[in-house]
Amino acid sequence: MTRAISIFGATGSVGLSTLDLVRQHRDAYRVVALTANGNAAGLAELAREFDAELAVVAEDEAYPALKKALAGTRIEAAAGADALVDAAKRDADWTMAAIVGCAGLPPTMAAIEQGRTVALANKEALVSAGDLMMAAVDRSGATLLPVDSEHNAIFQCLAGAKLEQVRKITLTASGGPFREFSLDRMRAVTPAQAVAHPNWDMGAKISVDSATMMNKGLELIEAYHLFPVGLDRLDILVHPQSVIHSMVEYVDCSTLAQLGSPDMRIPIASALAWPERIATNCKPLDLGTIGQLSFEQPDHVRFPALRLARAVVNEGGAKPAILNAANEVAVAAFLASRIGFLDIASLVEETLGGYQPDMPATLDDLFSIDAAARAYASAHINKVAHASA
Ligand code: NAD
Ligand code: MG
């Protein structure tokens, strides 16, 4: 039986890793829709290789190039935000949500509302829409398969166990490229240094998030929704080798961990084949060569994003969406060399303190909150940059 799959964010790091696995198991999968932001040529090449039914670019301006690149094939071409949502509604057995940022929320929610099996890499969508997304999952009967390596590890360690028998869930963190940097050294780091992650090869945004440890903060919020054991049972532990991807401790003091080489194709394969397993050509774990695994407590002073993320979960309402939106603006400003590395957390904190919107009751409320937070953060970029200069 072939599984019909769609991949949102097909041209990105997670999207390409997913397609690499499909390439290794061509007979098991049929590709329905592939999407990208503006990279029409890259998307068309993938759509041709995998004989997709449909290719969608989010940017309207990229449509002519996509159409031209698909000329002479039977592959449909489409563009724009509505086309992305329509693609998510198209029948598929399995949907990969791998767009980066809150931009992935509309198609991810559309797939969930159809009751689909959704492999979720797009953590920003869940962080932002948390309660609304989980309510939609309950309503539609959709299955969410976590792709983030930590959450995929937890999902595997839980293996259907009762959450009330869980004492603690520990998310591991590599600590990123600046784990041992002083605040003074961090102040001067460049975008190129921040995107060079020691263990994982990832897109630029998540690489910067790993460097600030906002990635772990977002993952804490992600875990809070996916595995509702309560915030006080969610822990973060720095583990620089990125071999243990997370752990679940049960009430009997038994702790289960999932281990593997730091290669996203491993958690993606677990979601792609779920509930079965498929072979991958990833590097098997060789603990004898690795020799030692080490652990340390995270430092909330050098990595204030951890403190901010925990606080927004406690405050609830619109706060996680504001944190996420402000962080997206701050990371883009840092990558464009408009603010310094330490200004990222400052801009997020400034935006969180800026105003108090009501609890989002609908997705439209959430989009308004997201837009307002982006506008606020954008308007305060200079203030934050001057304060630290
Ligand atoms: P990436 O930047 O490499 O790729 C992002 C994809 O989304 C691309 O296909 C791009 O064309 C598309 N995209 C970007 N902006 C868009 C927009 N506005 N509208 C529609 N499409 C858009 O990112 P990535 O590293 O693959 O990460 C994707 C998601 O997976 C992120 O949420 C990230 O946090 C999460 N994630 C990634 C990794 C990893 O190893 N890369 C690990 C865990 C979780
Ligand atoms: Mg992760």
Side-chain angles (χ1 to χ4, degrees):
M1 269 257 298
T2 59
R3 185 175 263 197
I5 67 168
S6 287
I7 302 173
F8 288 76
T11 54
S13 166
V14 171
L16 291 173
S17 292
T18 309
L19 286 168
D20 187 56
L21 291 163
V22 174
R23 202 176 274 125
Q24 293 171 45
H25 298 274
R26 279 305 277 267
D27 296 342
Y29 301 97
R30 180 171 66 78
V31 175
V32 179
L34 297 179
T35 85
N37 194 23
N39 179 1
L43 179 65
E45 197 179 316
L46 294 171
R48 281 174 179 266
E49 179 188 349
F50 291 93
D51 196 21
E53 274 177 32
L54 168 69
V56 185
V57 278
E59 290 175 355
D60 288 314
E61 315 80 77
Y63 180 73
L66 180 66
K67 190 78 191 150
K68 193 167 163 216
L70 292 175
T73 72
R74 287 176 311 175
I75 304 164
E76 294 167 57
D82 291 345
L84 269 187
V85 169
D86 288 345
K89 291 182 181 163
R90 201 174 273 223
D91 217 3
D93 301 315
W94 188 91
T95 300
M96 168 56 87
I99 290 175
V100 60
C102 208
L105 182 55
T108 303
M109 280 296 269
I112 288 172
E113 276 159 6
Q114 302 293 311
R116 294 282 157 65
T117 297
V118 178
L120 185 78
N122 181 202
K123 67 189 84 184
E124 297 91 349
L126 178 58
V127 165
S128 188
D131 296 335
L132 291 172
M133 187 181 285
M134 296 316 288
V137 169
D138 284 346
R139 229 177 16 246
S140 69
T143 302
L144 269 194
L145 300 173
V147 171
D148 217 339
S149 57
E150 297 75 5
H151 307 74
N152 185 268
I154 295 162
F155 185 76
Q156 293 195 47
C157 293
L158 284 171
K162 296 190 179 89
L163 285 183
E164 58 266 30
Q165 294 171 356
V166 170
R167 176 143 67 198
K168 189 169 84 182
I169 292 177
T170 303
L171 294 159
T172 53
S174 69
F178 310 137
R179 181 173 61 88
E180 295 179 305
F181 278 37
S182 65
L183 274 171
D184 264 349
R185 275 184 84 194
M186 275 194 216
R187 192 162 285 124
V189 300
T190 63
Q193 284 175 290
V195 297
H197 195 279
N199 304 346
W200 298 94
D201 179 11
M202 309 181 285
K205 195 261 176 181
I206 183 174
S207 297
V208 176
D209 284 345
S210 298
T212 59
M213 290 193 79
M214 181 58 90
N215 183 49
K216 213 49 57 181
L218 298 176
E219 291 183 355
L220 183 79
I221 305 172
E222 190 183 5
Y224 173 80
H225 291 292
L226 290 173
F227 314 112
V229 294
L231 190 59
D232 55 341
R233 286 172 195 239
L234 294 174
D235 240 9
I236 294 171
L237 188 63
V238 175
H239 164 46
Q241 296 83 10
S242 299
V243 166
I244 294 182
H245 297 302
S246 278
M247 298 179 260
V248 176
E249 181 186 327
Y250 286 93
V251 286
D252 57 5
C253 293
S254 185
T255 297
L256 299 195
Q258 187 265 345
L259 289 72
S261 303
D263 183 333
M264 276 308 289
R265 291 175 305 169
I266 299 173
I268 295 169
S270 141
L272 183 61
W274 182 87
E276 306 292 328
R277 298 257 180 195
I278 49 170
T280 71
N281 59 9
C282 300
K283 194 166 154 244
L285 190 61
D286 179 1
L287 286 175
T289 301
I290 293 167
Q292 280 193 338
L293 300 182
S294 59
F295 305 92
E296 55 197 66
Q297 293 299 337
D299 181 343
H300 289 224
V301 176
R302 287 182 305 126
F303 299 100
L306 293 171
R307 168 175 60 78
L308 296 175
R310 211 169 261 279
V312 299
V313 181
N314 274 323
E315 290 176 65
K319 291 287 183 174
I322 297 173
L323 170 108
N324 178 68
N327 183 57
E328 287 191 31
V329 170
V331 170
F334 169 70
L335 285 171
S337 302
R338 295 184 61 198
I339 60 174
F341 182 73
L342 294 180
D343 301 333
I344 298 173
S346 305
L347 186 56
V348 173
E349 191 157 21
E350 167 80 32
T351 309
L352 281 168
Y355 57 100
Q356 302 286 341
D358 293 335
M359 180 86 140
T362 66
L363 216 48
D364 281 342
D365 294 348
L366 194 85
F367 290 131
S368 311
I369 289 163
D370 178 78
R374 278 167 206 273
Y376 186 98
S378 301
H380 287 75
I381 284 176
N382 286 340
K383 178 180 167 188
V384 166
H386 284 136
S388 76

